[in-house]
Amino acid sequence: MYKAILVAYDGSTAAAHAFHSALELAERLGSSLGVVSVAQLPEPPTMVETTAILDLAKTHYEKDFKRLRVDAKARAIELQTHVAVGHAADQIIHHSVEFKADLIVMGHRGGSRMKEWLLGSVSKRVLSYAPCSVLIVR
Amino acid sequence: MTHVWAQASLWLALALVATLLSIWFRIATALSEIVVGTVAQLVIGALVGTAALGANESWITFLSGTGAIVLTFLAGAELDPKVFRVKWKEATVVGLIAFFSPFFGCAAIARYVLHWGPQASWLCGIALSTTSVAVVYAVMLELGLNKTDFGKAILAACFINDLGTVIFLGLVFAPFTVRTLAFVVGCLVVFPLIFWLTPRFFRWYGDRPSELEAKYLLLLLFGMGAVAAWADSEAVLPAYLIGMVLAGTVGKNHLLVRRLRTLTFGLLTPFYFIRAGSLVSVPVLLATPLIFLVLLLAKMATKFVGVYPITRALGYVKQEGLYTTMLMSTGLTFGTISALFGLNHKIITQAQYSHVVATVIASAVIPTLIANAFFLPRYLLPRQSEGAPAAGESTASPVKSGQLNTISE
């Protein structure tokens, strides 16, 4: 049913839940599994801060990816990981197309109304614009 | 000392507020600190008096100046020598024109349209000649263009553009005496020497808790800064050049760069950017908004006149040319550094400084928005559909189902 599943992973507990749901689904359906994490840069970016954020994001997510790979290996699934740069929803959608995913799995963080009003909800944007099915894990 | 500690607390409280705002609103810390500095000066000035913030106290000026020097050094150290070696011809042509066109154009507009004095007009030309390497780099990363030849050439051109800005800032206002000659000769002797010595010195004595590397680099930056100031030049000029000279060695030492960033962001740059913001006069900006508009249009128009034809001459198609032109119309850090240099050396007035800084901030945001909305060369992006690429398209390989590319940095 789903040949390629992409998990949007931001290191939160909700994202970890989403990853494990996707792992289970991939095992049952024999799907390939990818994880994308997004390093968001400030606006407008400045040089030294940008490289600092990229450095930190790479180190932080690579550490998480190692753990996720172990979990995936235990179920005989080869995990592909990727750290993208840019706006979270844009990059998740862009990489779902690149991964040819037919399902995006992501966690729901439930941010405050104020934050949602100011910055918008990533999951809502992905739901609105994704070219494939989207599963929001609560 | 009570007064100094109290003032230091106030500045760090402002820095903390600025950092929280930058996290909440996902804006650059530098921009947040400039805005917090401007607002703090307005509020504290109205409540207690304009002297309360103490923006011109010697220790604040020192920390602020050190922030500018170390930040400029780190920016220079971001240069990728390999990319530059491959694309140096294209990068040099685009970079130099991207510098000279707004430099002369904005200076002429400041002189003949806004009727600023000759020195102030030159300073305005320098401050608005910059291109934000970071804005260009971020957009390239986001779109995956940083891996293409097009992206690499533009990034290298941005470094050349900023090099032009820093060199002119260091030399245009220098009196060209024997001291200037001594400074230039000093640079020519010191730079090859540190290129050879620094990696060896770090290998022999580095990687110890005594932080020898940081002390060595600060000695270099302060020492060359002192020589530059003695020659009536600007300390950020040798700092940027030292950064570029050491980009292939120190710049690759991620741990050292991280430690320097901690020092820079944790203590130094808050003083620099908050001070830069505190010197902006909001009443002046509100009273004469047209000057800001004229300067912003001048920067974008002169970048267009210079960069667009040369991109076409270099064989870029229309969309790529327009996109490059827009991205190269951005600027933030070096624009602010140039403006503050002008104010500190009484080359521009506080009103002129306020207009230049406001223009610099706007130029960091507006051209990127226009570029991404209207001129994005979509055909250069990594392919998302199967089939052979058409002529002029990216050579990025098609992706099979369930396959991700490697990390896009």
Side-chain angles (χ1 to χ4, degrees), chain A residues 101-116:
Chain A
D102 29 32
L103 178 68
I104 298 172
V105 180
M106 54 197 300
H108 183 75
R109 293 189 71 173
S112 68
R113 280 189 183 178
M114 182 59 138
K115 197 174 172 189
E116 206 172 301

Side-chain angles (χ1 to χ4, degrees), chain B residues 319-370:
Chain B
Q319 199 79 352
E320 282 174 49
L322 287 168
Y323 191 69
T324 308
T325 307
M326 280 295 146
L327 287 190
M328 294 202 76
S329 305
T330 55
L332 183 64
T333 308
F334 283 105
T336 319
I337 287 174
S338 308
L340 196 53
F341 169 86
L343 185 67
N344 287 340
H345 289 78
K346 296 187 171 50
I347 296 166
I348 51 174
T349 63
Q350 195 182 8
Q352 289 166 334
Y353 168 82
S354 305
H355 286 299
V356 172
V357 169
T359 309
V360 164
I361 290 173
S363 77
V365 181
I366 293 169
T368 322
L369 291 178
I370 298 173

Side-chain angles (χ1 to χ4, degrees), chain B residues 125-204:
Chain B
I126 292 171
L128 299 186
S129 68
T130 60
T131 288
S132 168
V133 181
V135 169
V136 178
Y137 183 53
V139 173
M140 298 277 167
L141 277 178
E142 200 165 320
L143 303 174
L145 288 173
N146 59 314
K147 293 174 192 162
T148 63
D149 282 352
F150 165 74
K152 286 174 184 171
I154 298 307
L155 276 173
C158 294
F159 276 98
I160 296 291
N161 188 153
D162 279 347
L163 183 62
T165 303
V166 173
I167 289 176
F168 271 63
L169 186 64
L171 296 180
V172 163
F173 305 102
F176 285 100
T177 58
V178 177
R179 289 182 180 192
T180 317
L181 185 69
F183 169 54
V184 173
V185 172
C187 287
L188 292 176
V189 171
V190 169
F191 294 159
L193 183 70
I194 60 168
F195 179 76
W196 178 84
L197 179 68
T198 307
R200 287 167 179 81
F201 190 58
F202 284 4
R203 217 168 31 240
W204 297 330

